[in-house]
Tab-separated table of all heavy atoms in Angstrom:
chain	number	residue	atom	x	y	z
A	33	ASP	N	117.899	72.556	22.917
A	33	ASP	CA	116.501	72.348	23.160
A	33	ASP	C	116.379	71.209	24.234
A	33	ASP	O	117.042	70.228	24.008
A	33	ASP	CB	115.639	72.021	21.940
A	33	ASP	CG	115.725	73.199	20.997
A	33	ASP	OD1	115.324	74.343	21.386
A	33	ASP	OD2	116.032	72.957	19.804
A	34	VAL	N	115.519	71.340	25.193
A	34	VAL	CA	115.298	70.317	26.221
A	34	VAL	C	113.794	69.979	26.089
A	34	VAL	O	112.941	70.736	26.241
A	34	VAL	CB	115.584	70.815	27.630
A	34	VAL	CG1	115.392	69.681	28.622
A	34	VAL	CG2	117.062	71.325	27.684
A	35	VAL	N	113.530	68.570	25.823
A	35	VAL	CA	112.172	68.234	25.552
A	35	VAL	C	111.910	66.870	26.423
A	35	VAL	O	112.874	66.034	26.531
A	35	VAL	CB	111.814	67.963	24.148
A	35	VAL	CG1	111.804	69.239	23.338
A	35	VAL	CG2	112.660	66.884	23.504
A	36	SER	N	110.644	66.713	26.836
A	36	SER	CA	110.267	65.500	27.426
A	36	SER	C	110.119	64.426	26.399
A	36	SER	O	109.824	64.665	25.187
A	36	SER	CB	108.961	65.738	28.294
A	36	SER	OG	107.892	65.768	27.359
A	37	ILE	N	110.215	63.187	26.814
A	37	ILE	CA	110.126	62.091	25.914
A	37	ILE	C	108.688	62.073	25.293
A	37	ILE	O	108.523	61.666	24.095
A	37	ILE	CB	110.425	60.670	26.600
A	37	ILE	CG1	110.471	59.562	25.586
A	37	ILE	CG2	109.418	60.432	27.746
A	37	ILE	CD1	111.599	59.734	24.598
A	38	GLU	N	107.744	62.565	26.051
A	38	GLU	CA	106.390	62.605	25.421
A	38	GLU	C	106.326	63.485	24.239
A	38	GLU	O	105.368	63.310	23.321
A	38	GLU	CB	105.360	63.029	26.566
A	38	GLU	CG	105.074	61.935	27.642
A	38	GLU	CD	106.160	61.963	28.693
A	38	GLU	OE1	107.043	62.883	28.685
A	38	GLU	OE2	106.191	60.981	29.441
A	39	SER	N	107.121	64.518	24.191
A	39	SER	CA	107.002	65.439	23.028
A	39	SER	C	108.123	65.274	22.089
A	39	SER	O	108.184	66.064	21.079
A	39	SER	CB	106.802	66.939	23.567
A	39	SER	OG	107.874	67.130	24.464
A	40	ALA	N	109.023	64.297	22.233
A	40	ALA	CA	110.102	64.101	21.317
A	40	ALA	C	109.587	63.546	20.004
A	40	ALA	O	108.731	62.656	20.021
A	40	ALA	CB	111.219	63.240	21.955
A	41	THR	N	110.152	63.969	18.951
A	41	THR	CA	109.809	63.389	17.652
A	41	THR	C	111.088	63.011	16.811
A	41	THR	O	112.139	63.551	17.093
A	41	THR	CB	108.993	64.423	16.703
A	41	THR	OG1	109.862	65.537	16.453
A	41	THR	CG2	107.767	64.894	17.478
A	42	LYS	N	110.804	62.229	15.769
A	42	LYS	CA	111.933	61.893	14.899
A	42	LYS	C	112.476	63.152	14.080
A	42	LYS	O	113.671	63.328	13.871
A	42	LYS	CB	111.495	60.903	13.801
A	42	LYS	CG	111.524	59.456	14.318
A	42	LYS	CD	110.955	58.422	13.319
A	42	LYS	CE	112.025	57.957	12.424
A	42	LYS	NZ	111.829	56.618	11.929
A	43	ASP	N	111.579	64.079	13.826
A	43	ASP	CA	111.968	65.337	13.125
A	43	ASP	C	112.965	66.118	14.052
A	43	ASP	O	113.881	66.699	13.549
A	43	ASP	CB	110.785	66.187	12.751
A	43	ASP	CG	110.024	65.546	11.609
A	43	ASP	OD1	110.603	64.673	10.928
A	43	ASP	OD2	108.864	66.043	11.331
A	44	MET	N	112.661	66.120	15.311
A	44	MET	CA	113.556	66.891	16.259
A	44	MET	C	114.946	66.190	16.247
A	44	MET	O	115.923	66.948	16.196
A	44	MET	CB	113.006	66.802	17.703
A	44	MET	CG	111.842	67.646	17.894
A	44	MET	SD	111.369	67.457	19.638
A	44	MET	CE	109.800	68.313	19.652
A	45	VAL	N	114.979	64.898	16.268
A	45	VAL	CA	116.240	64.195	16.203
A	45	VAL	C	116.964	64.599	14.859
A	45	VAL	O	118.222	64.875	14.876
A	45	VAL	CB	116.075	62.696	16.303
A	45	VAL	CG1	117.376	61.926	15.990
A	45	VAL	CG2	115.540	62.288	17.640
A	46	ALA	N	116.242	64.618	13.804
A	46	ALA	CA	116.873	64.897	12.520
A	46	ALA	C	117.450	66.427	12.393
A	46	ALA	O	118.438	66.585	11.895
A	46	ALA	CB	115.771	64.795	11.396
A	47	SER	N	116.769	67.268	13.210
A	47	SER	CA	117.321	68.658	13.053
A	47	SER	C	118.255	69.111	14.091
A	47	SER	O	118.587	70.224	14.319
A	47	SER	CB	116.092	69.601	13.129
A	47	SER	OG	115.366	69.443	14.360
A	48	HIS	N	118.845	68.066	14.942
A	48	HIS	CA	119.835	68.473	15.863
A	48	HIS	C	121.109	67.524	15.655
A	48	HIS	O	120.959	66.452	15.022
A	48	HIS	CB	119.394	68.150	17.255
A	48	HIS	CG	118.315	69.193	17.704
A	48	HIS	ND1	117.027	69.061	17.266
A	48	HIS	CD2	118.375	70.275	18.544
A	48	HIS	CE1	116.298	70.070	17.814
A	48	HIS	NE2	117.132	70.784	18.511
A	49	ASP	N	122.320	68.084	16.003
A	49	ASP	CA	123.554	67.379	15.683
A	49	ASP	C	123.970	66.450	16.897
A	49	ASP	O	124.640	65.470	16.606
A	49	ASP	CB	124.758	68.331	15.470
A	49	ASP	CG	124.311	69.452	14.544
A	49	ASP	OD1	124.085	69.277	13.451
A	49	ASP	OD2	124.253	70.617	15.042
A	50	CYS	N	123.497	66.927	18.005
A	50	CYS	CA	123.881	66.171	19.272
A	50	CYS	C	122.670	65.744	20.091
A	50	CYS	O	121.878	66.668	20.346
A	50	CYS	CB	124.801	67.064	20.157
A	50	CYS	SG	125.144	66.354	21.864
A	51	ILE	N	122.536	64.557	20.407
A	51	ILE	CA	121.315	64.110	21.129
A	51	ILE	C	121.742	63.591	22.541
A	51	ILE	O	122.592	62.611	22.591
A	51	ILE	CB	120.554	62.963	20.387
A	51	ILE	CG1	120.393	63.370	18.902
A	51	ILE	CG2	119.261	62.799	21.057
A	51	ILE	CD1	119.519	64.401	18.574
A	52	VAL	N	121.128	64.130	23.598
A	52	VAL	CA	121.443	63.605	24.924
A	52	VAL	C	120.132	62.853	25.334
A	52	VAL	O	119.091	63.462	25.311
A	52	VAL	CB	121.825	64.699	25.949
A	52	VAL	CG1	122.059	64.166	27.303
A	52	VAL	CG2	123.099	65.525	25.415
A	53	ILE	N	120.273	61.688	25.837
A	53	ILE	CA	119.116	60.971	26.399
A	53	ILE	C	119.245	60.848	27.879
A	53	ILE	O	120.252	60.327	28.394
A	53	ILE	CB	118.952	59.601	25.732
A	53	ILE	CG1	118.805	59.686	24.197
A	53	ILE	CG2	117.754	58.839	26.236
A	53	ILE	CD1	118.900	58.367	23.567
A	54	ALA	N	118.300	61.293	28.610
A	54	ALA	CA	118.295	61.308	30.097
A	54	ALA	C	117.192	60.430	30.639
A	54	ALA	O	116.052	60.693	30.343
A	54	ALA	CB	118.373	62.652	30.707
A	55	SER	N	117.583	59.349	31.414
A	55	SER	CA	116.418	58.561	31.896
A	55	SER	C	116.718	58.142	33.359
A	55	SER	O	117.918	57.828	33.744
A	55	SER	CB	116.319	57.336	31.112
A	55	SER	OG	115.391	56.423	31.681
A	56	PRO	N	115.819	58.024	34.218
A	56	PRO	CA	115.912	57.320	35.492
A	56	PRO	C	115.850	55.757	35.256
A	56	PRO	O	115.643	55.391	34.164
A	56	PRO	CB	114.694	57.771	36.344
A	56	PRO	CG	113.649	58.066	35.296
A	56	PRO	CD	114.369	58.507	34.042
A	57	SER	N	116.198	55.056	36.275
A	57	SER	CA	116.108	53.651	36.180
A	57	SER	C	114.814	53.168	37.019
A	57	SER	O	114.720	53.606	38.115
A	57	SER	CB	117.284	52.838	36.760
A	57	SER	OG	118.385	53.092	35.911
A	58	TRP	N	113.917	52.426	36.417
A	58	TRP	CA	112.832	51.878	37.065
A	58	TRP	C	112.528	50.499	36.634
A	58	TRP	O	113.333	49.966	35.878
A	58	TRP	CB	111.534	52.809	36.647
A	58	TRP	CG	111.550	54.154	37.204
A	58	TRP	CD1	112.136	55.329	36.572
A	58	TRP	CD2	110.978	54.671	38.401
A	58	TRP	NE1	111.932	56.367	37.218
A	58	TRP	CE2	111.233	56.068	38.437
A	58	TRP	CE3	110.293	54.163	39.472
A	58	TRP	CZ2	110.851	56.822	39.521
A	58	TRP	CZ3	109.855	54.972	40.504
A	58	TRP	CH2	110.079	56.266	40.462
A	59	GLU	N	111.487	49.946	37.106
A	59	GLU	CA	111.096	48.634	36.611
A	59	GLU	C	110.227	48.785	35.399
A	59	GLU	O	109.405	49.637	35.319
A	59	GLU	CB	110.273	47.836	37.766
A	59	GLU	CG	110.053	46.447	37.458
A	59	GLU	CD	109.028	45.826	38.421
A	59	GLU	OE1	109.265	45.967	39.680
A	59	GLU	OE2	108.029	45.384	37.892
A	60	ASP	N	110.628	47.928	34.451
A	60	ASP	CA	109.826	47.893	33.215
A	60	ASP	C	109.676	46.512	32.728
A	60	ASP	O	110.701	45.786	32.720
A	60	ASP	CB	110.513	48.699	32.120
A	60	ASP	CG	109.748	48.769	30.780
A	60	ASP	OD1	108.519	48.660	30.782
A	60	ASP	OD2	110.404	48.867	29.713
A	61	GLU	N	108.435	46.041	32.374
A	61	GLU	CA	108.258	44.654	31.944
A	61	GLU	C	108.861	43.646	32.965
A	61	GLU	O	109.456	42.671	32.484
A	61	GLU	CB	108.794	44.466	30.582
A	61	GLU	CG	108.067	45.358	29.457
A	61	GLU	CD	108.569	45.063	28.080
A	61	GLU	OE1	109.706	44.831	27.868
A	61	GLU	OE2	107.644	45.139	27.187
Side-chain angles (χ1 to χ4, degrees):
D33 296 307
V34 180
V35 294
S36 73
I37 189 65
E38 288 80 12
S39 48
T41 64
K42 277 176 90 149
D43 285 349
M44 286 180 191
V45 171
S47 61
H48 292 77
D49 315 295
C50 169
I51 315 290
V52 178
I53 302 171
S55 178
S57 290
W58 294 87
E59 191 190 302
D60 180 30
E61 296 186 321

